C-alpha cells in the first residue's frame, strides 16, 4: 500500500496534503491527526531536500545600464542557475501561495504598499530557500519530527504535533 486513503476522494486528499505541507513549511509546526502527519512527512522532507541541494546555485552577473542621467553604470546582480530555477518551479507547483498581509502599515503610501506586496510573489518558496535550506545544510535528512499528543476529545482520533527540527 503506497499511501493512506485518509477516507477522502483522491482530489480532496491531494488538496489536503498540499495545504498541510504548505502550512508546515510556513509556520514551522502544525497539529493534525497521526495519519495525516505520517503522510505529509515524506512530502515535506523531499521539498526541503530539494531546496537544500539547490539553494546555493547562483551566479553573479555584472551588467552595464544607463541611469537617469544617461550615464553608464555597472550593476551587479545575483541570478539563479537553471537547476535552482527548476527546483523553485517544482516546489511552486506543489505548495500553495500564502496570502500576504493586506493591511497597509502606518504612514505607508499606496505606491509603497503595491511595491511591498509585489516583492514576494511566493513567500513559502522564498522562506524555504532563504531560511529553511541554510538551516539544514549540514543535516543528512530527518528534518521533521512527529510527537504524539494523545486522543482528540471529540472522536478519540490520535493527534500529533508535526514540526521542523
Amino acid at each position: 500500500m503506497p499511501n493512506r486513503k485518509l477516507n477522502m476522494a483522491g482530489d480532496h486528499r491531494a488538496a489536503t496534503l498540499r495545504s498541510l505541507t504548505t502550512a508546515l513549511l510556513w509556520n514551522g509546526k502544525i497539529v493534525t491527526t497521526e495519519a495525516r502527519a505520517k503522510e505529509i512527512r515524506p512530502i515535506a522532507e523531499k521539498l526541503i531536500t530539494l531546496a537544500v541541494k539547490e539553494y546555493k546555485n547562483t551566479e553573479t552577473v555584472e551588467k552595464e545600464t544607463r541611469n537617469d542621467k544617461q550615464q553608464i553604470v555597472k550593476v551587479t546582480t545575483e541570478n539563479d542557475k537553471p537547476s535552482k530555477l527548476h527546483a523553485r518551479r517544482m516546489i511552486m507547483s506543489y505548495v500553495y501561495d500564502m496570502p500576504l498581509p493586506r493591511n497597509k502599515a502606518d504612514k505607508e503610501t499606496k505606491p509603497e504598499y503595491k511595491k511591498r506586496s509585489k516583492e514576494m510573489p511566493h513567500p513559502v518558496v522564498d522562506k524555504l530557500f532563504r531560511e529553511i535550506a541554510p538551516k539544514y545544510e549540514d543535516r543528512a535528512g530527518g528534518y521533521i519530527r512527529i510527537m504524539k499528543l494523545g486522543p482528540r476529545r471529540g472522536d478519540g482520533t490520535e493527534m500529533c504535533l508535526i514540526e521542523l527540527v
Side-chain angles (χ1 to χ4, degrees), residues 87-105:
R88 268 185 185 279
R89 288 179 176 166
M90 286 177 62
I91 293 170
M92 278 191 275
S93 71
Y94 191 80
V95 299
Y96 288 124
D97 288 339
M98 294 297 291
L100 291 171
R102 298 193 178 184
N103 10 357
K104 287 180 14 178

Side-chain angles (χ1 to χ4, degrees), residues 32-98:
T32 185
T33 63
E34 183 179 3
R36 289 178 182 174
K38 287 180 178 180
E39 275 301 300
I40 65 172
R41 176 188 229 165
I43 297 167
E45 289 201 358
K46 286 175 187 171
L47 295 176
I48 293 171
T49 301
L50 186 60
V52 166
K53 286 181 181 178
E54 297 292 337
Y55 87 100
K56 284 187 175 179
N57 285 344
T58 58
E59 57 188 357
T60 306
V61 178
E62 195 170 289
K63 295 181 181 180
E64 291 183 357
T65 60
R66 293 189 182 270
N67 62 6
D68 296 336
K69 298 178 182 178
Q70 298 301 319
Q71 298 169 336
I72 296 176
V73 179
K74 290 187 179 182
V75 178
T76 308
T77 59
E78 203 164 293
N79 293 342
D80 292 345
K81 288 188 177 178
S83 62
K84 182 176 179 181
L85 181 62
H86 179 64
R88 268 185 185 279
R89 288 179 176 166
M90 286 177 62
I91 293 170
M92 278 191 275
S93 71
Y94 191 80
V95 299
Y96 288 124
D97 288 339
M98 294 297 291

Side-chain angles (χ1 to χ4, degrees), residues 11 19 53 75 109 133 160:
D11 55 347
S19 177
K53 286 181 181 178
V75 178
T109 63
C160 290

Side-chain angles (χ1 to χ4, degrees), residues 117-157:
S117 61
K118 286 183 181 179
E119 283 177 358
M120 271 199 320
H122 300 284
V124 178
V125 178
D126 283 343
K127 182 174 183 175
L128 191 58
F129 276 94
R130 291 184 187 185
E131 295 176 23
I132 298 174
K135 180 179 170 185
Y136 296 124
E137 179 182 12
D138 299 328
R139 193 175 181 100
Y143 312 115
I144 293 174
R145 172 187 305 137
I146 297 177
M147 293 189 300
K148 292 185 180 182
L149 299 176
R152 183 163 51 194
R153 183 174 178 170
D155 59 357
T157 303

